[in-house]
Amino acid sequence: MIQEFRDFIAKGNVMDMAVGIIIGAAFTAIVTSLVNDLITPIISLFTGGLDFSGMGYRLTEGEEGAIFAYGNFIMALINFLIIAWVVFLLVKMVNRIKDAASKPEEEAAPEELKGPTQEELLIEIRDALKAQS
């Protein structure tokens, strides 16, 4: 059983996932700082100095009462949109790099190794059938 566990942990997928989680946690700290320290103050300029994180509606009386904190939700939504945008840009950049790397391989293949297209084969079959008739 211990050997099975070692084999499981040593698989590339598990290691890749672990690295992804660690990088994701570090990336979250960066994005949180970006939102809290750079974007929120800019948004506050346009909204007259409003701080979304402090916005809410008190549902019960007293200092320890329940608060409907919709401002925190707005900040979480902004956070999500920024993270989604950055991930989109990263995926787009990686795809562009992959495409650029695969083009030289496609260009390097000689034409005679590629073979005829489907249309060319159909034309040959049609001509062969006409010749037999």
Side-chain angles (χ1 to χ4, degrees):
M1 184 180 262
I2 292 176
Q3 183 62 35
E4 281 183 272
F5 181 70
R6 277 191 209 154
D7 292 343
F8 173 74
I9 293 297
K11 282 186 182 177
N13 296 347
V14 174
M15 295 307 249
D16 291 344
M17 184 179 66
V19 169
I21 290 171
I22 292 168
I23 296 295
F27 187 70
T28 299
I30 291 170
V31 172
T32 301
S33 175
L34 174 73
V35 171
N36 292 339
D37 301 332
L38 301 177
I39 294 177
T40 301
I42 293 171
I43 291 173
S44 294
L45 282 174
F46 293 113
T47 59
L50 287 176
D51 180 15
F52 290 116
S53 61
M55 297 173 78
Y57 180 74
R58 186 167 298 282
L59 299 174
T60 59
E61 297 295 324
E63 285 192 29
E64 294 184 20
I67 297 176
F68 184 72
Y70 59 87
N72 288 335
F73 176 75
I74 292 171
M75 289 309 301
L77 186 62
I78 291 170
N79 231 349
F80 169 77
L81 292 173
I82 291 169
I83 291 171
W85 178 253
V86 170
V87 169
F88 167 74
L89 292 177
L90 287 173
V91 168
K92 189 172 180 175
M93 181 179 66
V94 168
N95 286 339
R96 187 176 296 151
I97 291 170
K98 278 184 179 178
D99 290 343
S102 67
K103 283 183 183 177
E105 292 174 6
E106 292 173 2
E107 293 172 2
E111 285 296 321
E112 59 267 4
L113 295 179
K114 290 185 180 180
T117 64
Q118 186 176 5
E119 289 88 15
E120 292 170 342
L121 288 174
L122 290 171
I123 291 170
E124 285 180 34
I125 293 170
R126 181 196 64 195
D127 293 343
L129 289 172
K130 280 184 183 179
Q132 288 179 355
S133 305

